[in-house]
Amino acid sequence: MGDEGRVEIDGSVMEGGGQILRVSTALSCLLNKSLQVKNIRAGRSQPGLRPQHLSGLEMVRHLCDGQMEGGDIGSTEITFTPGKIKGGTHIADTKTAGSVCLLMQVAMPCVLFAASPSELRLKGGTNAEMAPQVDYTLMIFKPIAEKFGLILDCDIKRRGYYPKGGGEVVVRMSPVKQLNPINLTDRGTVTKIHGRAFVAGALPIKVAKEMASAAVKCIRKEIRDLYVNIQTVREPDNEAFGTGSGIIIVAETSTGCLLAGSSLGKRGKNADKVGIEAAEMLLGNLRHGGAVDDYLQDQLIIFMALANGKSRIKTGPITLHTETAIHFAELLTKAKFTVAKSEDEDSSKEAHIIECQGIGLLNTNL
């Protein structure tokens, strides 16, 4: 704690990136704690706030009537003082290909504890490197996050790709009184594998077909008894801005778990390679025996910390993003996390159980 009970955060520790800002400012807003973040993205090639981080911070500041000092591109230190969380419409525009899904990550926990329903109009990249693709958010994150007792309505108005972005996603959420704990430890058996390979802009549908075909071949080498259904799609020109391509493949299990692998195309990258990358990512997630894939684990931490009761998730190797999310969730909420190797006989040596006794945050606005 710093001046007047302000929490001081070192933005260079652990993962050392934008995730520290997202977790800390969302929790600052929810717990009504002032925050000072220093050394923001200190180890990155371009340290300090980038446009997408700043637009996320501005949106949170707006939705909780907060105050912020140091909110400039390149700034390595901010002070954030939250106010009262309000519903209504909030707009964030990265004006770049910065990820709309990362904007959603910082705003979503906050609006769950608002006084009235919220609409978030998020503009930027929908399928961006180093961030969840919007398809992942819809196909994996949304149904799993809804197990906490929230309802997430997400409408893709327009897709936007690197380098210009130009996409728009509208998210509508109603507030909750409290979040339920979740238990995702029994993976069950894989019952269905499906996916989506897309192209947009100047790329021919042939590229999507090559990605899908390479992915199916790769999966068939390991999983022979299931039909793999990957749709190939050319995004309508009026629903996509720029040129892009990519693929997401989802495995559904008998217990309602969802795990994925995804990859994005880029100039000079062979379409087969994109398909194989996504397939290998999915197979890796299936091999470790977890009920949650490597990219979902860190996204669930903040909700586990806020939920009313004990949450447990079984996952593969613990990622640095997850360790970072746990560190800052514990620091700010005082929720208690434990991480232990899974003892189940059917798990690989890499499987872990993340357990959290949540703080049971109550929405006092309702």
Side-chain angles (χ1 to χ4, degrees):
M1 290 282 181
D3 309 341
E4 317 120 32
R6 182 186 291 156
V7 185
E8 289 186 3
I9 300 280
D10 182 351
S12 68
V13 302
M14 304 178 84
E15 184 270 331
Q19 185 201 19
I20 294 173
L21 275 176
R22 288 190 292 278
V23 172
S24 302
T25 44
L27 289 172
S28 153
C29 186
L30 288 163
L31 302 167
N32 198 26
K33 288 182 179 178
S34 292
L35 203 62
Q36 183 173 31
V37 188
K38 297 179 174 177
N39 305 321
I40 294 169
R41 301 178 67 254
R44 296 296 195 258
S45 56
Q46 286 185 297
L49 295 174
R50 304 306 305 143
Q52 77 172 46
H53 307 116
L54 188 55
S55 48
L57 290 171
E58 287 288 2
M59 177 169 55
V60 173
R61 187 188 63 72
H62 182 258
L63 64 83
C64 74
D65 266 341
Q67 294 175 318
M68 180 166 61
E69 292 166 34
D72 304 293
I73 303 290
S75 172
T76 57
E77 186 174 322
I78 61 150
T79 305
F80 184 82
T81 309
K84 187 178 165 72
I85 303 171
K86 56 184 200 270
T89 301
H90 305 283
I91 298 168
D93 186 351
T94 66
K95 300 184 176 62
T96 65
S99 167
V100 294
C101 298
L102 296 181
L103 292 177
M104 201 189 296
Q105 278 182 22
V106 67
M108 208 168 62
C110 304
V111 297
L112 283 173
F113 290 86
S116 58
S118 302
E119 180 177 279
L120 309 173
R121 303 192 79 89
L122 311 174
K123 300 177 183 184
T126 56
N127 300 74
E129 291 274 6
M130 312 292 289
Q133 294 191 47
V134 71
D135 308 86
Y136 182 93
T137 297
L138 282 175
M139 295 163 83
I140 304 288
F141 174 80
K142 171 181 151 64
I144 300 298
E146 287 182 340
K147 293 179 188 289
F148 287 101
L150 58 97
I151 295 173
L152 170 60
D153 178 39
C154 185
D155 183 12
I156 304 170
K157 297 291 187 193
R158 188 171 60 246
R159 289 167 179 268
Y161 309 103
Y162 183 81
K164 290 184 179 168
E168 183 178 4
V169 173
V170 177
V171 177
R172 294 179 189 88
M173 297 186 82
S174 290
V176 295
K177 188 72 187 164
Q178 210 168 29
L179 291 172
N180 305 324
I182 61 166
N183 190 329
L184 287 174
T185 50
D186 178 10
R187 204 210 24 237
T189 54
V190 178
T191 55
K192 188 177 173 187
I193 297 178
H194 59 97
R196 184 179 196 276
F198 71 86
V199 291
L203 294 172
I205 190 73
K206 176 171 89 89
V207 172
K209 288 178 175 165
E210 286 169 1
M211 288 189 288
S213 165
V216 170
K217 274 188 200 137
C218 182
I219 292 167
R220 285 254 167 82
K221 286 180 193 159
E222 201 157 319
I223 301 172
R224 295 187 181 86
D225 54 346
L226 278 181
Y227 174 61
V228 182
N229 178 22
I230 300 178
Q231 279 182 301
T232 53
V233 187
R234 190 178 188 291
E235 306 291 6
D237 288 341
N238 62 335
E239 292 173 21
F241 183 79
T243 294
S245 65
I247 182 170
I248 179 165
I249 316 163
V250 177
E252 296 186 14
T253 79
S254 54
T255 54
C257 297
L258 298 162
L259 301 97
S262 63
S263 183
L264 285 171
K266 59 183 172 195
R267 193 187 292 273
K269 188 172 172 184
N270 183 307
D272 284 15
K273 189 177 179 209
V274 181
I276 290 166
E277 263 180 13
E280 287 183 339
M281 188 188 292
L282 174 66
L283 292 169
N285 277 317
L286 292 174
R287 280 183 210 120
H288 61 51
V292 165
D293 72 32
D294 294 353
Y295 289 93
L296 191 63
Q297 42 174 277
D298 67 285
Q299 295 182 55
L300 299 180
I301 297 302
I302 192 168
F303 299 100
M304 291 169 73
L306 297 170
N308 182 32
K310 185 182 284 185
S311 292
R312 298 176 84 235
I313 61 173
K314 183 177 174 185
T315 182
I318 304 298
T319 66
L320 182 56
H321 269 95
T322 298
E323 289 176 358
T324 306
I326 289 173
H327 174 80
F328 288 101
E330 285 191 327
L331 178 73
L332 285 151
T333 66
K334 305 296 181 252
K336 191 73 200 103
F337 282 85
T338 57
V339 178
K341 285 228 158 147
S342 174
E343 302 293 324
D344 294 355
E345 289 171 18
D346 62 341
S347 299
S348 77
K349 292 186 176 65
E350 298 177 313
H352 291 77
I353 301 281
I354 303 174
E355 194 171 281
C356 174
Q357 185 64 46
I359 62 169
L361 185 69
L362 267 175
N363 188 344
T364 53
N365 296 311
L366 288 186

